[in-house]
Amino acid sequence: MKKIINHPADVVDEMLDGMVYAYPQYVRRLEGLNVLTRTKAPTEKVALVSGGGSGHEPAHGGYVGRGMLDAAVAGAVFTSPTPDQIYEAVKAVNGGRGVLLIIKNYTGDVLNFEMAAEMADAEGIRVEKVVVNDDVAVENSTFTSGRRGIAGTLFVHKIAGAKAESGGTLDEVKAVAEKVIANVRSMGMAISPCTVPEAGKPSFVLKENEMEIGMGIHGEPGIQREPIQTADRIADRLLEKIFDDLRLSPGDETAVLINGLGATPLMELFIMNRRVAEVFAGKGIKIVKTYVGNGMTSLEMGGCSISVLKLDDELKQLLGAPAETPAFVQF
Amino acid sequence: MKKIINHPADVVDEMLDGMVYAYPQYVRRLEGLNVLTRTKAPTEKVALVSGGGSGHEPAHGGYVGRGMLDAAVAGAVFTSPTPDQIYEAVKAVNGGRGVLLIIKNYTGDVLNFEMAAEMADAEGIRVEKVVVNDDVAVENSTFTSGRRGIAGTLFVHKIAGAKAESGGTLDEVKAVAEKVIANVRSMGMAISPCTVPEAGKPSFVLKENEMEIGMGIHGEPGIQREPIQTADRIADRLLEKIFDDLRLSPGDETAVLINGLGATPLMELFIMNRRVAEVFAGKGIKIVKTYVGNGMTSLEMGGCSISVLKLDDELKQLLGAPAETPAFVQF
């Protein structure tokens, strides 16, 4: 294993400090916890808490700030955060109007966020939750019952965050988060593995010239391993599966995210985006906004995912609302 | 070679189209050329043109937009753009107040930008140029006489761009660009190689567990190959060499860029930043602004660089001025 780290056991702790040092204007760390909250706590709004295993940076700490999350909870690498840490995050950001938990659909995450919600409930804090399951690759998978939650989660952060910032109630914020979840689909692929620091060896092995279509962001199995194809063909494959599940018609408006998994050069993501834009143009589907970059990574995995969000007027307006976080404009 | 591309000969062309599809609000492509200019051409300001070989994305096209560059010229991967393409960029963005060329110090780039300047001069366009040489690792190197220009170039784009946007004359914009160059130093290191698509094999080989300190952004030799050390020790090594050359005193104000070379997880960049912030704090040197991310990459090279810019009031104000480009806020 060759990584720019100190001790494998310290990566999450040191990374969180490094984020706070880099972005003191946006985030601070709760004393003794792996929780980042906004530097300036807003008052009188519904609070949004997300999180999950580390290794997906800039998710989720990079999305803490005005117009998006109020707190992000970081677990160990590819490991759910514990209920007590989530509970502390909820307590820290609850401003009296309730807290929405945004959970990616992994069994451990769902369980631990639910336990935290129960702990908060017992303290009289009103908590609601949504579970993001945008990955159309496979039903059920390692760590997951149902579909996995991947990069489409960022659209939930952005849009529910804007709704909360504009004064929405907990029910309204939850409703718009669920509308995003109902309208976002993603699918990814990988060409090279990543190594969890404490494991010390790659989490999967691909042959030279082999790729996996539909691979998850922790290296969970996808649909098929096969010889790598051209970028255009890869884009077509991912889009076909997305379009099978998300019905789009000519004239529909969408937002698109071409997401790098950590080791994929921007050059390759732009080459993917070229094909995606051409396919959409051919179908007469409008792309209102495109994001290209490393928005939800898998350490140094090579590969990418495509996320497509079908917009309506409300989603479009909230997506375009201002946000100030370390990473939002970054992807 | 395993890459998400179509044909190796098409990567630059398709990448540029992919950028324009992603960011039509910022950039457009000059017909038949590998030149990106602002979508909305400003009038009545000094124009800034930069560029260089491709493979360093988001540099330089990602820095085209209000408050930074007016045009970026993309050569083949790791290859200088040709004089005629640079000349076309200069002609396209010249608004009558002159054009500043921002050149990274590589022999081919310097030569080709100078030839373009002569062509423009013959047409009555006033052109000045600055050459960025921020890399303190080595004097002279493959492709370079003197020091190499690397990620510190982004501070030149930002600050000279702000000066031009505020109405500065060509001489004033050039003077502030030269002030940045005099006050910025960088140094990098690599743990894994990159592969130029048309070459098809890695440009260098490092042994398992070996790193190279001072390596250039095209894989040019650095100072030393040696077993990989901790992130803290790597940060110390890079900073020692930077501090040897850039005299800083307690109370001085700086901006810092922790730059990923393409395949380095954000987690590792934040761990590096933690140490950098602590070293600066220990010396009583202030970091006014930190950027962490992939600002000037080397395809999928693993590794990072640190850039330090010593600020005065003028540089600080211009660094903080608004900018709207695809990638500025991204790093």
Side-chain angles (χ1 to χ4, degrees):
Chain A
M1 176 179 67
K2 207 194 262 185
K3 285 183 181 287
I4 305 174
I5 62 174
N6 293 301
H7 193 283
D10 298 330
V11 295
V12 174
D13 181 60
E14 295 185 351
M15 169 190 72
L16 292 173
D17 281 348
M19 286 189 81
V20 172
Y21 285 136
Y23 309 123
Q25 69 274 43
Y26 297 117
V27 290
R28 66 186 187 89
R29 185 169 175 179
L30 290 188
E31 185 77 25
L33 296 168
N34 291 341
V35 176
L36 298 183
T37 68
R38 296 193 198 182
T39 304
K40 292 177 192 161
T43 50
E44 287 298 305
K45 67 176 273 299
V46 171
L48 271 63
V49 175
S50 190
S54 291
H56 305 300
E57 291 69 34
H60 293 272
Y63 304 107
V64 173
R66 193 171 70 88
M68 294 186 80
L69 302 179
D70 292 274
V73 193
V77 176
F78 293 178
T79 302
S80 302
T82 53
D84 61 305
Q85 297 248 348
I86 302 165
Y87 170 58
E88 292 296 334
V90 167
K91 276 203 301 186
V93 301
N94 172 44
R97 296 197 58 200
V99 179
L100 180 70
L101 305 180
I102 301 171
I103 310 165
K104 297 195 301 301
N105 190 34
Y106 298 98
T107 307
D109 285 31
V110 172
L111 195 67
N112 290 354
F113 275 84
E114 274 177 358
M115 284 179 63
E118 284 168 21
M119 292 159 75
D121 192 59
E123 293 291 317
I125 302 173
R126 190 170 164 222
V127 178
E128 292 284 348
K129 58 185 192 296
V130 294
V131 179
V132 188
N133 61 348
D134 54 316
D135 186 349
V136 298
V138 289
E139 283 291 329
N140 307 320
S141 170
T142 328
F143 318 130
T144 320
S145 169
R147 287 178 169 178
R148 302 176 295 224
I150 58 171
T153 306
L154 306 185
F155 288 120
V156 184
H157 293 351
K158 175 66 190 75
I159 287 172
K163 186 74 184 174
E165 211 73 40
S166 74
T169 64
L170 182 55
D171 287 340
E172 289 168 344
V173 174
K174 182 182 180 185
V176 83
E178 288 185 330
K179 195 204 273 188
V180 176
I181 293 167
N183 284 284
V184 67
R185 299 291 187 281
S186 305
M187 188 157 150
M189 55 80 63
I191 61 172
S192 63
C194 58
T195 298
V196 173
E198 295 214 64
K201 58 179 190 185
S203 15
F204 59 93
V205 177
L206 288 171
K207 289 182 202 139
E208 179 58 36
N209 216 37
E210 192 181 45
M211 67 172 181
E212 182 155 345
I213 291 280
M215 177 159 275
I217 57 173
H218 311 94
E220 308 96 312
I223 296 172
Q224 194 171 346
R225 291 193 179 183
E226 56 187 70
I228 189 167
Q229 297 176 311
T230 62
D232 285 358
R233 185 72 192 110
I234 292 168
D236 289 349
R237 293 275 296 279
L238 301 182
L239 286 176
E240 276 161 25
K241 197 102 166 90
I242 289 170
F243 289 143
D244 275 351
D245 204 76
L246 181 69
R247 294 290 164 187
L248 291 167
S249 308
D252 280 350
E253 294 190 315
T254 63
V256 167
L257 163 61
I258 312 293
N259 178 59
L261 295 181
T264 312
L266 264 181
M267 169 182 278
E268 297 176 23
L269 299 181
F270 284 123
I271 289 171
M272 286 287 288
N273 184 55
R274 168 184 165 276
R275 180 61 171 192
V276 170
E278 289 177 355
V279 169
F280 274 64
K283 290 178 179 287
I285 302 164
K286 292 178 190 161
I287 301 176
V288 171
K289 175 84 178 164
T290 303
Y291 303 90
V292 179
N294 295 318
M296 166 107 46
T297 60
S298 306
L299 296 167
E300 72 284 6
M301 198 186 292
C304 64
S305 64
I306 300 173
S307 297
V308 179
L309 171 64
K310 183 178 176 180
L311 296 168
D312 63 10
D313 287 346
E314 180 188 29
L315 298 184
K316 190 162 96 170
Q317 183 263 319
L318 292 168
L319 184 65
E324 290 173 19
T325 79
F328 171 62
V329 279
Q330 184 171 41
F331 73 91
Chain B
M1 176 178 68
K2 204 193 263 185
K3 286 181 182 286
I4 305 173
I5 62 174
N6 294 300
H7 193 283
D10 297 331
V11 293
V12 174
D13 181 59
E14 294 184 352
M15 167 190 72
L16 293 172
D17 281 348
M19 286 188 81
V20 171
Y21 286 136
Y23 309 124
Q25 69 273 45
Y26 296 119
V27 291
R28 66 188 187 90
R29 185 170 175 180
L30 291 187
E31 184 78 27
L33 296 168
N34 291 341
V35 176
L36 298 184
T37 68
R38 296 193 198 182
T39 304
K40 292 178 191 161
T43 51
E44 288 296 305
K45 68 174 274 298
V46 170
L48 271 64
V49 175
S50 191
S54 292
H56 305 300
E57 292 69 32
H60 294 272
Y63 303 108
V64 172
R66 193 171 71 89
M68 294 187 82
L69 302 178
D70 292 274
V73 193
V77 176
F78 292 178
T79 302
S80 301
T82 53
D84 61 306
Q85 297 248 349
I86 304 166
Y87 171 58
E88 293 296 334
V90 167
K91 276 203 300 187
V93 300
N94 172 46
R97 296 197 60 200
V99 179
L100 181 69
L101 305 180
I102 300 172
I103 311 166
K104 297 197 300 301
N105 190 34
Y106 299 98
T107 307
D109 285 31
V110 172
L111 196 67
N112 290 357
F113 275 84
E114 275 178 357
M115 283 179 62
E118 284 167 22
M119 292 159 76
D121 192 60
E123 293 291 317
I125 302 172
R126 191 170 163 223
V127 177
E128 292 284 346
K129 60 185 190 299
V130 294
V131 178
V132 188
N133 60 349
D134 54 316
D135 185 350
V136 299
V138 289
E139 284 291 329
N140 307 320
S141 170
T142 328
F143 318 129
T144 322
S145 169
R147 286 179 169 177
R148 301 176 296 223
I150 58 172
T153 306
L154 305 185
F155 288 121
V156 184
H157 294 351
K158 176 65 190 74
I159 288 172
K163 186 72 183 174
E165 211 75 40
S166 74
T169 64
L170 182 55
D171 288 340
E172 289 168 344
V173 174
K174 181 182 180 184
V176 84
E178 288 185 330
K179 194 205 272 189
V180 176
I181 294 168
N183 285 284
V184 67
R185 299 289 187 283
S186 304
M187 189 156 149
M189 56 80 63
I191 61 172
S192 63
C194 59
T195 297
V196 173
E198 295 214 66
K201 56 178 191 183
S203 17
F204 58 94
V205 178
L206 288 171
K207 288 182 201 137
E208 181 54 37
N209 217 34
E210 191 180 46
M211 67 172 180
E212 182 156 345
I213 291 280
M215 178 160 275
I217 56 174
H218 312 91
E220 310 96 310
I223 295 171
Q224 196 172 344
R225 289 193 181 184
E226 57 187 69
I228 190 167
Q229 297 176 313
T230 62
D232 286 358
R233 184 72 192 111
I234 292 169
D236 289 350
R237 293 275 296 279
L238 301 182
L239 286 176
E240 276 161 25
K241 196 100 165 94
I242 289 170
F243 288 144
D244 276 350
D245 203 76
L246 182 70
R247 294 292 164 184
L248 292 167
S249 309
D252 280 351
E253 294 190 316
T254 63
V256 166
L257 163 61
I258 312 293
N259 178 60
L261 295 181
T264 313
L266 265 182
M267 169 181 279
E268 298 177 21
L269 299 182
F270 285 123
I271 289 172
M272 286 287 287
N273 184 55
R274 168 185 165 275
R275 180 63 171 192
V276 170
E278 289 177 354
V279 170
F280 274 64
K283 290 177 180 287
I285 302 163
K286 293 179 191 160
I287 300 175
V288 171
K289 176 85 179 162
T290 302
Y291 304 90
V292 179
N294 295 320
M296 166 109 44
T297 60
S298 305
L299 296 166
E300 73 284 6
M301 198 187 291
C304 65
S305 63
I306 300 173
S307 298
V308 179
L309 171 65
K310 182 178 176 179
L311 296 168
D312 62 12
D313 287 346
E314 181 188 28
L315 298 184
K316 190 162 94 170
Q317 183 263 319
L318 292 168
L319 185 65
E324 290 172 20
T325 79
F328 172 62
V329 279
Q330 186 171 39
F331 75 90

